[in-house]
Every structure is written in C-alpha cells, then in structure tokens.
C-alpha cells in the first residue's frame, strides 16, 4: 500500500509541475493580451484625437495638403486599428486556451489529490484494524495465561 501512495505522490508532483507551468503560461498570455489591448487603445485614442482635430479644422479654413495629410494619417490609423484588433482577438483566443489548460491541469491535480487522500484513509483504516486485531490477540493471550 505504501508503494501505491508513493506512486500517487510522484504523479501528483508531475501534475503540480504541469499546473505551475500552465499557470505561468496563462500569466504570460494575460500580459500579452493586456499589452495588445493597450496598444489598440492608444491607436483608437490617436484616431479619435485626429478626427476631433479634423472636425475643428473643417469649421475653419485649412489647406488641401492638410486635408490630404489628415486623410493619410487617418487611413494609416485605421489600418493599424484593424491589425491590432486582429492581434487582440488572437491574444484573447490564446488567453482562453491557456485558461482552459490551466483549469484542466488544476482539475487533474485535485482529482489525484482526492485519490491519494482516499487511499491514505483506507490505508490508515486498514492499519488501525490490524492494530486492533493484534491488541485483541494480546488480550486473549493474557487472559488465557491468567485464567488458563
């Protein structure tokens, strides 16, 4: 029985290591997602500022090359926005995948922990029963010696 517990402990060590690796990967995925989201936010903010500036200038007079420049900047920001939206989406999918893997690793570890605990309880119960039986035998032998 002791060998079984040692085997389960070894497997649990591996599962715990796997869970810790999954946790680290998940944390890296969270950081990547946050970085991509912040970059997208910066682009959207720059686009919003450019559009506001353009609206203000439309009310006043401004030159054709300024219109063209604003248009080019806006198109560039729209292109970057599209790229970063795709990156954020990919980062979100990656994050979800890492979260699922982390959850699965945690579940596997907890499942093994439960098996170990149940076997340990069973082992202790069996050992207690053996000890009780030995005590009963000793008691019977002592009674037989005394009352013989």
């Amino acid at each position: 029985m002791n060998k079984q517990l040692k085997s389960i402990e070894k497997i649990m060590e591996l599962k715990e290591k796997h869970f810790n690796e999954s946790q680290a990967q998940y944390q890296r995925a969270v950081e990547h997602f946050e970085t991509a989201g912040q970059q997208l936010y910066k682009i959207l903010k720059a686009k919003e500022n450019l559009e506001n500036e353009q609206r203000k200038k439309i009310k006043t007079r401004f030159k054709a090359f300024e219109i063209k420049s604003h248009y080019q900047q806006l198109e560039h920001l729209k292109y970057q926005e599209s790229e970063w939206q795709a990156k954020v989406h990919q980062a979100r999918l990656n994050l979800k995948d890492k979260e699922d893997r982390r959850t699965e690793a945690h579940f596997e570890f907890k499942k093994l922990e439960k098996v170990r605990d149940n076997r340990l309880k069973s082992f202790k119960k069996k050992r207690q029963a053996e000890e009780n039986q030995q005590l009963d035998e000793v008691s019977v032998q002592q009674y037989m010696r005394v009352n013989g």
Side-chain angles (χ1 to χ4, degrees), residues 15 18-19 22 100-109:
K15 293 292 183 181
H18 178 67
F19 171 72
S22 297
D100 291 345
R101 289 176 189 225
R102 180 189 69 161
T103 301
E104 180 64 27
H106 183 64
F107 176 75
E108 289 295 321
F109 177 78

Side-chain angles (χ1 to χ4, degrees), residues 1-11:
M1 188 65 166
N2 202 8
K3 288 181 183 179
Q4 287 180 345
L5 286 175
K6 286 183 181 180
S7 296
I8 290 174
E9 289 290 332
K10 290 263 186 207
I11 294 171

Side-chain angles (χ1 to χ4, degrees), residues 84-146:
W84 279 100
Q85 281 179 342
K87 288 178 183 180
V88 167
H89 177 70
Q90 188 60 41
R92 185 178 294 115
L93 292 176
N94 185 41
L95 179 64
K96 177 71 173 122
D97 179 56
K98 299 301 182 196
E99 182 179 32
D100 291 345
R101 289 176 189 225
R102 180 189 69 161
T103 301
E104 180 64 27
H106 183 64
F107 176 75
E108 289 295 321
F109 177 78
K110 287 297 186 181
K111 190 166 59 171
L112 265 176
E113 193 174 51
K114 192 75 162 174
V115 167
R116 180 201 61 194
D117 291 347
N118 287 341
R119 291 217 179 142
L120 190 57
K121 284 178 188 176
S122 175
F123 177 72
K124 286 179 179 179
K125 190 175 181 180
K126 183 179 177 184
R127 189 170 50 177
Q128 185 65 43
E130 289 171 356
E131 287 175 7
N132 289 343
Q133 184 180 2
Q134 288 174 353
L135 287 174
D136 288 347
E137 288 174 11
V138 169
S139 295
V140 168
Q141 288 175 0
Q142 286 178 347
Y143 179 77
M144 293 300 281
R145 270 192 238 142
V146 171

Side-chain angles (χ1 to χ4, degrees), residues 13-90:
E13 286 176 17
L14 292 173
K15 293 292 183 181
E16 185 175 25
K17 183 179 176 186
H18 178 67
F19 171 72
N20 290 338
E21 289 170 359
S22 297
Q23 180 67 22
Q25 289 176 355
Y26 173 75
Q27 196 57 43
R28 285 192 298 275
V30 167
E31 291 168 5
H32 177 70
F33 176 74
E34 287 174 350
T35 300
Q38 288 170 353
Q39 187 64 30
L40 178 60
Y41 174 79
K42 287 177 185 176
I43 290 168
L44 291 172
K45 191 69 177 165
K47 181 181 159 192
E48 180 184 8
N49 290 341
L50 185 64
E51 288 172 340
N52 287 338
E53 184 182 327
Q54 197 172 17
R55 271 189 231 105
K56 287 178 187 175
K57 285 194 175 191
I58 286 177
K59 293 178 182 177
T60 64
R61 292 184 173 200
F62 65 108
K63 298 178 174 113
F65 75 90
E66 289 177 323
I67 294 173
K68 184 178 179 184
S69 174
H70 275 267
Y71 177 76
Q72 288 173 340
Q73 288 175 345
L74 190 59
E75 287 302 310
H76 179 69
L77 287 173
K78 285 179 182 178
Y79 175 77
Q80 284 184 322
E81 175 187 354
S82 175
E83 276 188 337
W84 279 100
Q85 281 179 342
K87 288 178 183 180
V88 167
H89 177 70
Q90 188 60 41

